[in-house]
Amino acid sequence: DIRASRRVFFAAWPDAALRERLASLASRLQHHCGGRTPVIDNLHLTLGFLGNVPTAEIASLQTLTERLTLPTGEWTLDRYGYFHKPRLAWLGGPPTATLTLWHARLGEALQASDRSLPAWHDFRPHVTLLRHAEKAPPATLAAPEWTWPLTRLTLVESILDGTRPIYRVLAECPATA
Ligand code: 2AM
């Protein structure tokens, strides 16, 4: 594999039960909003998007990820939202203390290695349920209230080679109680 750069991001992945619930919610939301549902195994929460990173620098990002110290905690998803420009419909919720801490620790570690997260000031945690959505989720549609146990942070490579991205885990950091 001789690619000069990799498209990478940091994320948390839902457990199997939550993944199933999110996937069926995405299918129901599609009736209201149109658009395309993600592949079930691709559902995730992005904690930071780095974009293209030179391949030679991936090893140091893997080490950085594995060396993070993260507490376990929870995040609550309780509202729908819509990003107009990219036409994404999502389920999310305000960052909890744990999520804010994860984001901050990640930002600090990246800064210490002369990197930074874009849109640092505007962390809006969400799980994308529909891409190319024609409409925002209707305001009358009640969102569920689901708890996401935060147990590990993942460094992921996104391979855009076809119609759906393929995500490949590059490194993981288990949260410690
Ligand atoms: P999204 O779900 O809101 O589109 C892999 O592409 C992940 O990184 C997706 O979860 C995507 O968030 C996020 N992402 C892609 N491009 C991004 C960008 N330019 N800024 C921030 N996040 C981005």
Side-chain angles (χ1 to χ4, degrees), residues 43-59:
L43 288 162
H44 65 274
L45 160 66
T46 300
L47 282 144
F49 179 78
L50 289 183
N52 287 322
V53 169
T55 302
E57 295 170 29
I58 293 295

mmCIF file of all heavy atoms in Angstrom, residues 43-59:
data_model
loop_
_atom_site.group_PDB
_atom_site.id
_atom_site.type_symbol
_atom_site.label_atom_id
_atom_site.label_comp_id
_atom_site.label_asym_id
_atom_site.label_seq_id
_atom_site.Cartn_x
_atom_site.Cartn_y
_atom_site.Cartn_z
ATOM 1 N N LEU A 43 -22.122 3.441 11.541
ATOM 2 C CA LEU A 43 -22.693 4.435 12.463
ATOM 3 C C LEU A 43 -21.688 4.754 13.568
ATOM 4 O O LEU A 43 -21.138 3.845 14.187
ATOM 5 C CB LEU A 43 -23.980 3.882 13.094
ATOM 6 C CG LEU A 43 -25.196 3.789 12.173
ATOM 7 C CD1 LEU A 43 -26.222 2.837 12.771
ATOM 8 C CD2 LEU A 43 -25.809 5.170 11.939
ATOM 9 N N HIS A 44 -21.443 6.041 13.804
ATOM 10 C CA HIS A 44 -20.447 6.415 14.813
ATOM 11 C C HIS A 44 -20.623 7.852 15.263
ATOM 12 O O HIS A 44 -21.386 8.612 14.664
ATOM 13 C CB HIS A 44 -19.043 6.249 14.217
ATOM 14 C CG HIS A 44 -18.800 7.192 13.083
ATOM 15 N ND1 HIS A 44 -19.156 6.903 11.791
ATOM 16 C CD2 HIS A 44 -18.281 8.438 13.051
ATOM 17 C CE1 HIS A 44 -18.854 7.928 11.006
ATOM 18 N NE2 HIS A 44 -18.326 8.878 11.745
ATOM 19 N N LEU A 45 -19.893 8.191 16.302
ATOM 20 C CA LEU A 45 -19.808 9.556 16.798
ATOM 21 C C LEU A 45 -18.402 10.073 16.497
ATOM 22 O O LEU A 45 -17.419 9.496 16.964
ATOM 23 C CB LEU A 45 -20.042 9.548 18.321
ATOM 24 C CG LEU A 45 -19.546 10.750 19.120
ATOM 25 C CD1 LEU A 45 -20.311 12.015 18.736
ATOM 26 C CD2 LEU A 45 -19.691 10.480 20.616
ATOM 27 N N THR A 46 -18.306 11.133 15.719
ATOM 28 C CA THR A 46 -16.986 11.700 15.422
ATOM 29 C C THR A 46 -16.545 12.608 16.563
ATOM 30 O O THR A 46 -17.280 13.489 16.990
ATOM 31 C CB THR A 46 -17.030 12.519 14.113
ATOM 32 O OG1 THR A 46 -17.414 11.664 13.041
ATOM 33 C CG2 THR A 46 -15.660 13.114 13.788
ATOM 34 N N LEU A 47 -15.314 12.371 17.046
ATOM 35 C CA LEU A 47 -14.760 13.245 18.090
ATOM 36 C C LEU A 47 -13.775 14.248 17.519
ATOM 37 O O LEU A 47 -13.467 15.247 18.159
ATOM 38 C CB LEU A 47 -14.082 12.401 19.159
ATOM 39 C CG LEU A 47 -15.107 11.766 20.090
ATOM 40 C CD1 LEU A 47 -14.684 10.393 20.524
ATOM 41 C CD2 LEU A 47 -15.340 12.672 21.289
ATOM 42 N N GLY A 48 -13.278 13.967 16.355
ATOM 43 C CA GLY A 48 -12.356 14.896 15.721
ATOM 44 C C GLY A 48 -11.983 14.386 14.349
ATOM 45 O O GLY A 48 -11.660 13.207 14.200
ATOM 46 N N PHE A 49 -12.051 15.271 13.394
ATOM 47 C CA PHE A 49 -11.748 14.887 12.018
ATOM 48 C C PHE A 49 -10.430 15.537 11.616
ATOM 49 O O PHE A 49 -10.282 16.752 11.705
ATOM 50 C CB PHE A 49 -12.879 15.356 11.105
ATOM 51 C CG PHE A 49 -12.666 15.040 9.653
ATOM 52 C CD1 PHE A 49 -12.889 13.752 9.178
ATOM 53 C CD2 PHE A 49 -12.243 16.011 8.775
ATOM 54 C CE1 PHE A 49 -12.690 13.447 7.843
ATOM 55 C CE2 PHE A 49 -12.042 15.713 7.424
ATOM 56 C CZ PHE A 49 -12.278 14.436 6.965
ATOM 57 N N LEU A 50 -9.447 14.744 11.221
ATOM 58 C CA LEU A 50 -8.157 15.305 10.821
ATOM 59 C C LEU A 50 -8.029 15.461 9.311
ATOM 60 O O LEU A 50 -7.277 16.290 8.833
ATOM 61 C CB LEU A 50 -7.000 14.438 11.333
ATOM 62 C CG LEU A 50 -6.737 14.471 12.832
ATOM 63 C CD1 LEU A 50 -5.521 13.616 13.146
ATOM 64 C CD2 LEU A 50 -6.530 15.891 13.344
ATOM 65 N N GLY A 51 -8.731 14.641 8.562
ATOM 66 C CA GLY A 51 -8.588 14.697 7.115
ATOM 67 C C GLY A 51 -7.312 14.009 6.670
ATOM 68 O O GLY A 51 -6.842 13.079 7.335
ATOM 69 N N ASN A 52 -6.741 14.457 5.582
ATOM 70 C CA ASN A 52 -5.576 13.769 5.012
ATOM 71 C C ASN A 52 -4.320 14.017 5.826
ATOM 72 O O ASN A 52 -3.938 15.155 6.056
ATOM 73 C CB ASN A 52 -5.368 14.202 3.568
ATOM 74 C CG ASN A 52 -6.420 13.609 2.661
ATOM 75 O OD1 ASN A 52 -6.810 12.453 2.855
ATOM 76 N ND2 ASN A 52 -6.911 14.379 1.714
ATOM 77 N N VAL A 53 -3.711 12.928 6.244
ATOM 78 C CA VAL A 53 -2.480 12.965 7.032
ATOM 79 C C VAL A 53 -1.441 12.156 6.252
ATOM 80 O O VAL A 53 -1.745 11.056 5.780
ATOM 81 C CB VAL A 53 -2.715 12.334 8.430
ATOM 82 C CG1 VAL A 53 -1.405 12.113 9.153
ATOM 83 C CG2 VAL A 53 -3.671 13.185 9.245
ATOM 84 N N PRO A 54 -0.213 12.688 6.121
ATOM 85 C CA PRO A 54 0.824 11.912 5.423
ATOM 86 C C PRO A 54 0.988 10.530 6.060
ATOM 87 O O PRO A 54 1.012 10.408 7.291
ATOM 88 C CB PRO A 54 2.085 12.760 5.609
ATOM 89 C CG PRO A 54 1.594 14.152 5.850
ATOM 90 C CD PRO A 54 0.271 14.003 6.556
ATOM 91 N N THR A 55 1.092 9.519 5.240
ATOM 92 C CA THR A 55 1.186 8.137 5.724
ATOM 93 C C THR A 55 2.313 7.965 6.736
ATOM 94 O O THR A 55 2.171 7.234 7.720
ATOM 95 C CB THR A 55 1.364 7.184 4.527
ATOM 96 O OG1 THR A 55 0.251 7.380 3.651
ATOM 97 C CG2 THR A 55 1.422 5.733 4.952
ATOM 98 N N ALA A 56 3.407 8.687 6.524
ATOM 99 C CA ALA A 56 4.559 8.572 7.421
ATOM 100 C C ALA A 56 4.233 9.033 8.834
ATOM 101 O O ALA A 56 4.948 8.705 9.778
ATOM 102 C CB ALA A 56 5.737 9.375 6.867
ATOM 103 N N GLU A 57 3.156 9.814 9.009
ATOM 104 C CA GLU A 57 2.814 10.339 10.327
ATOM 105 C C GLU A 57 1.733 9.518 11.044
ATOM 106 O O GLU A 57 1.343 9.830 12.162
ATOM 107 C CB GLU A 57 2.343 11.799 10.194
ATOM 108 C CG GLU A 57 3.459 12.706 9.713
ATOM 109 C CD GLU A 57 2.974 14.109 9.348
ATOM 110 O OE1 GLU A 57 1.970 14.561 9.934
ATOM 111 O OE2 GLU A 57 3.600 14.727 8.481
ATOM 112 N N ILE A 58 1.265 8.454 10.400
ATOM 113 C CA ILE A 58 0.177 7.663 10.986
ATOM 114 C C ILE A 58 0.646 6.927 12.241
ATOM 115 O O ILE A 58 -0.073 6.859 13.234
ATOM 116 C CB ILE A 58 -0.403 6.675 9.943
ATOM 117 C CG1 ILE A 58 -1.108 7.453 8.812
ATOM 118 C CG2 ILE A 58 -1.361 5.681 10.595
ATOM 119 C CD1 ILE A 58 -2.331 8.234 9.224
ATOM 120 N N ALA A 59 1.860 6.412 12.218
ATOM 121 C CA ALA A 59 2.350 5.656 13.381
ATOM 122 C C ALA A 59 2.338 6.507 14.635
ATOM 123 O O ALA A 59 1.968 6.043 15.716
ATOM 124 C CB ALA A 59 3.748 5.105 13.103
#
